[in-house]
Amino acid sequence: MVTHRYLGIVMGLLMLLWFASCVAMLFVRWPEVSEAERVRALPPIAWAECCDFGKVRDEQQVTHAVVEDLAGRPVLRFDGEVLDLATGVLLHHVGAGEAIPVAEAYAEAHGVAVNSPAEPERVERDQWTVTGAFDKRRPFWVLHADDPRRTDIYVSARTGQVSQVTDRPTRILNWLGPIPHWLYPAVLRADTRLWVQVVVWTSLIGTFLTLTGLYLGIVAWRPWRTERLTPFRGLMAWHHLAGLAAGILTLTWVASGLISMNPWGLLESGGDPRAGAVGGAVGFGELRRAVLAAQAAGISARQLKAAPLDGRLYLMADGVRLDAEARAAPLSDAELTGAARRLGPVREARRLDREDQYYRGHHEPVSLPVYRVIADNGTRFYLDAKSGQVVRTVDGAARGYRWLFEGLHRFDFIDGADRGAGWAAAMVLLLGFAGLGVATGVWLGWRRATSDLAGLFRKR
């Protein structure tokens, strides 16, 4: 009882912060630049400046390869390297002068007015690039646009790609939603190990607090002994009844929040080697010949992406599939069936034109259609219906994560019931109800703590 009371003062305040920020997160997204948004801002590949492949050996195996524009010249991005196709030199740094046109092209494509931007600022890490996902692109050149929303565009000084975009309203609203909810202040989040431990242990303490509260509430309730719903009066009665009614709801959110951190590797998914068997690596020489064929054919595209399938190299030119000779090669059902066979024995292989329980978006829809392959061990592979590439793999651990975190945290057990105005309104009501039980407990605990302290001083 005493532990629950005094622990509830501090932990209860944090849980209230989680509930309040969750309301904001129903309407506010963490800023990020999707690949589709980035590619939409690229100009067509400047074939006139192409193609010098430098000293890269033809026998070198390449897993991922993309040709696109960088400040007016074509580059080949492959396996973490950037090759300037105008000079044949590997790029290891992009200067401020090259970052400016990249940022301005993105701004123009997305309707951001840039009239007289200041010189880009060099940033190693800040609040909006704090996570490890940005590590391979650091540092950044940040163009501060002079539009009414005060947009900031981050261009990687390592790759020359637009990596993050924020504006003043987004920055303000994120301090009301994701940052407090995820405990994301840069001073904490920059140390990933420390941040993980803080989130895991606060979630564990919150789970313990909720469980003890439910136990004490049930023990004190005993409706079979009296006609009254609660033996308490006043605010304590409100806390007792609200805590009993919303306790399971609170426990669901706090415990599933703990699961989201995958503590101690509880639901850690391992890479499935079968996914790589569908596409696989290609020789650099084969890739070079395919790019030269696209140049000779005058293929007009913002991005040319390698998409090998079943041992053969294909290219995706802005979503249009080409063979290695730059001829149109739409993906056939027979090829998808063959790709499915490369995944081994399967229970099911079929085309999906809508989301299912494991291939779904939340704030943003996923790319459709896809080809779903369910292996004999239950692992699901989702293949892009245009390229045949595996876009998502869902093994047993991922299925558990989907239900124990996403299902319990968002209440999206029914298709389409994790978004929209009705879902948001229901979540606000539930969060307010759970918050009532916690808030009354915090106030009662604080009032009792001050009374206890006052009694100690009087005794002295």
Side-chain angles (χ1 to χ4, degrees), residues 38-307:
R38 187 188 69 82
V39 172
R40 185 154 59 95
L42 294 174
I45 299 168
W47 290 119
E49 304 294 327
C50 199
C51 293
D52 187 342
F53 291 90
K55 299 181 179 180
V56 183
R57 295 174 301 161
D58 281 358
E59 61 269 22
Q60 179 174 335
Q61 293 295 295
V62 177
T63 304
H64 303 283
V66 171
V67 177
E68 60 186 30
D69 179 86
L70 172 56
R73 66 185 189 276
V75 295
L76 171 63
R77 305 185 187 279
F78 66 101
D79 295 348
E81 300 286 353
V82 182
L83 177 66
D84 186 341
L85 292 178
T87 64
V89 176
L90 288 173
L91 299 177
H92 300 289
H93 180 75
V94 174
E98 295 170 302
I100 291 175
V102 173
E104 288 181 337
Y106 184 93
E108 181 180 358
H110 293 275
V112 177
V114 181
N115 299 315
S116 54
E119 189 70 15
E121 175 189 4
R122 189 178 185 277
V123 171
E124 182 69 29
R125 184 192 300 265
D126 65 4
Q127 179 64 60
W128 314 109
T129 58
V130 69
T131 70
F134 294 94
D135 285 350
K136 292 183 179 180
R137 299 186 178 190
R138 303 186 195 281
F140 302 95
W141 294 110
V142 184
L143 184 79
H144 302 287
D146 54 355
D147 63 316
R149 298 174 68 90
R150 291 295 183 264
T151 302
D152 290 343
I153 303 174
Y154 294 69
V155 178
S156 168
R158 170 67 182 84
T159 68
Q161 295 171 300
V162 174
S163 300
Q164 180 62 293
V165 176
T166 70
D167 56 36
R168 180 181 289 171
T170 299
R171 292 189 290 268
I172 292 173
L173 291 173
N174 266 268
W175 279 101
L176 301 177
I179 294 176
H181 192 78
W182 296 335
L183 304 183
Y184 245 47
V187 66
L188 174 61
R189 186 61 182 86
D191 188 333
T192 300
R193 290 185 178 181
L194 175 61
W195 172 75
V196 168
Q197 291 301 313
V198 168
V199 177
V200 166
W201 284 101
T202 52
S203 299
L204 277 172
I205 294 170
T207 301
F208 171 77
L209 178 68
T210 308
L211 284 171
T212 56
L214 280 168
Y215 170 76
L216 292 170
I218 293 171
V219 169
W221 185 27
R222 296 180 295 182
W224 54 88
R225 294 192 179 183
T226 176
E227 294 180 356
R228 294 179 57 189
L229 288 176
T230 174
F232 305 107
R233 297 184 183 276
L235 193 61
M236 187 62 189
W238 278 99
H239 176 62
H240 184 210
L241 294 176
L244 279 174
I248 297 298
L249 182 63
T250 303
L251 180 63
T252 296
W253 277 326
V254 178
S256 60
L258 172 64
I259 294 296
S260 74
M261 299 302 297
N262 191 18
W264 312 291
L266 181 63
L267 293 174
E268 185 173 350
S269 294
D272 195 310
R274 290 176 294 180
V278 174
V282 297
F284 190 86
E286 185 181 3
L287 175 65
R288 175 175 56 82
R289 290 188 290 273
V291 172
L292 289 173
Q295 178 195 27
I299 299 298
S300 179
R302 292 185 174 92
Q303 188 183 73
L304 202 64
K305 187 174 183 179

Side-chain angles (χ1 to χ4, degrees), residues 22 75 102 106-107 111 137 145 171 211 254 271 318-319 322 330 334 353 390 396 413 417 424 427 443 458:
C22 188
V75 295
V102 173
Y106 184 93
R137 299 186 178 190
R171 292 189 290 268
L211 284 171
V254 178
D318 290 352
L322 309 174
D353 293 310
V390 177
F413 298 103
M427 291 295 285
W443 173 247
R458 283 197 299 270

